[in-house]
Amino acid sequence: MSQYTVAFAGNPNTGKSTLFNLLTGLRQHTGNWAGKTVITAEGEFTHNNHTYRAVDLPGTYSLYSNSADEEAARDYIIFEEPDVTLVVLDATSLERNLNLALQVLEITGRAVICVNLIDEARRLGIDINLKAISKRLGVPVVAISARGKIGIEALLDQIERVATGAFTAQPLRISYSDEIERGIAELIPMVEQTVGSRYPARWIALRLLDGDESLLHSLKTHMGRKNITETKEVVGHGVTAYH
Amino acid sequence: MAGVVIPLSEAVNGSKLVISGIEVQGVLRRRLLDLGFVVGNAVEVLRRSPLGDPTAFRVSNTTIALRREESELIYGTLIGGGDE
């Protein structure tokens, strides 16, 4: 018997907290208003003799736009290194929701994509090719209805496969323009030297190119006293033009 | 009027546009991209508030209201709708 941590990420109003409550049996407040869920809710559930600690991250459209919610969600995925990041998507609005899924997959391949509100989507005549999405993203994709309690067992099975390492993800790697890829290649050795191999160097290099001050700040905090001014200077000199 | 590029702030109610450029910079640019204001995406002008600002837009199956400061920096090609 082992314990794993599952972080729940997703856009606001995708039924993320409904799923969280269903699995953990918690009855917490589920409506959202701005700035509400900065402190995450935690609960526990079991499946096939494994215990999971579930962490409900604040609902966000992105991990990049620098609101307190997005920073909290981003920092949790990067620094707390959950065994599985469950990305809950709204089946009726996949296009916008997949944006967050891609951002999570750039950080970690230990992810399961959960397409929620599938019953709602079917009612609207939306047909989702789960296999195709799963193939493109390189991680398991499961369709569920948290409200209708559809697909929950299948979802838990996929969470288990990723948590135990039975499934090895090959997450989609987004290729950027030559100019940006050159910048990434240049930065990666310096990032690895500074933050070590624990954090995703390619992703951090990308954030540096984007001039993401808030990530630098979090990195500094989480790395204790370690000085990363060296990396900051590189951004200042060569590559500020990529916004 | 179809085919003309105008800022979203000048599009009349009901018109549909395909986003062709976003000149907003910095954090706000990222936010707009995350909300679905991406070049190539379709936008519909839903309605304006009584005082003319902000305006509600339909993008990526979601309604989002923007102030003039932002919408005048987002450009789109008219593809239909509206009265003009």
Side-chain angles (χ1 to χ4, degrees):
Chain A
M1 180 129 162
S2 36
Q3 202 196 13
Y4 299 104
T5 307
V6 183
F8 287 52
N11 284 11
N13 302 315
T14 49
K16 187 168 64 71
S17 295
T18 308
L19 175 65
F20 180 85
N21 291 348
L22 175 69
L23 293 178
T24 61
L26 284 189
R27 286 269 152 269
Q28 50 144 178
H29 168 83
T30 47
N32 284 324
W33 57 85
K36 200 241 152 206
T37 330
V38 172
I39 296 172
T40 54
E42 286 194 30
E44 243 184 38
F45 61 92
T46 56
H47 179 64
N48 288 349
N49 276 333
H50 295 293
T51 310
Y52 296 87
R53 190 165 67 94
V55 179
D56 194 14
L57 302 177
T60 59
Y61 293 109
S62 167
L63 301 174
Y64 295 158
S65 303
N66 298 337
S67 72
D69 290 3
E70 293 174 358
E71 275 173 36
R74 177 198 68 197
D75 285 357
Y76 192 89
I77 296 171
I78 299 259
F79 300 113
E80 304 301 322
E81 301 174 82
D83 296 296
V84 182
T85 300
L86 183 67
V87 188
V88 183
L89 310 183
D90 176 349
T92 65
S93 184
L94 263 195
E95 189 185 12
R96 190 159 51 81
N97 278 248
L98 280 167
N99 179 38
L100 181 70
L102 280 177
Q103 293 183 10
V104 169
L105 289 180
E106 282 202 301
I107 300 176
T108 174
R110 302 182 66 91
V112 173
I113 307 293
C114 169
V115 181
N116 192 21
L117 303 170
I118 193 68
D119 44 359
E120 190 77 25
R122 282 190 190 127
R123 246 196 306 281
L124 294 171
I126 299 170
D127 185 30
I128 295 169
N129 189 339
L130 295 168
K131 273 205 181 119
I133 299 178
S134 179
K135 207 173 162 199
R136 282 290 295 278
L137 297 181
V139 296
V141 178
V142 187
I144 70 155
S145 163
R147 217 171 22 201
K149 298 185 178 140
I150 301 164
I152 307 299
E153 280 298 304
L155 174 67
L156 292 171
D157 287 343
Q158 296 302 332
I159 291 174
E160 179 181 310
R161 283 176 69 214
V162 172
T164 57
F167 175 87
T168 322
Q170 286 172 314
L172 176 71
R173 185 172 172 276
I174 296 161
S175 301
Y176 294 89
S177 68
D178 290 349
E179 196 183 14
I180 293 175
E181 286 293 343
R182 268 198 303 279
I184 294 171
E186 211 173 296
L187 279 173
I188 281 181
M190 285 178 259
V191 172
E192 281 174 345
Q193 201 190 342
T194 315
V195 303
S197 57
R198 190 166 163 194
Y199 305 123
R202 180 182 162 84
W203 185 79
I204 292 174
L206 260 172
R207 303 317 308 145
L208 291 175
L209 288 174
D210 204 18
D212 190 336
E213 293 279 341
S214 122
L215 178 71
L216 280 177
H217 185 76
S218 292
L219 273 172
K220 270 185 190 159
T221 314
H222 284 266
M223 291 174 52
R225 304 232 62 89
K226 221 169 168 189
N227 197 341
I228 56 168
T229 37
E230 201 186 334
T231 322
K232 245 185 136 176
E233 275 180 11
V234 174
V235 175
H237 282 138
V239 282
T240 41
Y242 290 124
H243 290 266
Chain B
M1 284 292 279
V4 181
V5 175
I6 55 168
L8 291 194
S9 54
E10 281 169 26
V12 297
N13 284 359
S15 52
K16 291 187 177 124
L17 304 94
V18 172
I19 299 175
S20 61
I22 301 167
E23 287 182 1
V24 183
Q25 293 301 323
V27 170
L28 194 59
R29 179 190 181 84
R30 181 76 233 187
R31 181 115 207 126
L32 291 169
L33 292 173
D34 288 327
L35 291 172
F37 289 92
V38 178
V39 170
N41 262 6
V43 180
E44 184 183 349
V45 184
L46 292 184
R47 57 184 164 273
R48 272 171 226 286
S49 16
L51 295 176
D53 195 37
T55 302
F57 298 98
R58 187 97 182 146
V59 63
S60 295
N61 204 20
T62 312
T63 303
I64 291 163
L66 296 182
R67 291 210 174 273
R68 173 167 276 277
E69 302 140 68
E70 288 99 43
S71 58
E72 69 187 4
L73 292 173
I74 303 173
Y75 296 88
T77 311
L78 274 172
I79 52 168
D83 303 322
E84 296 176 349

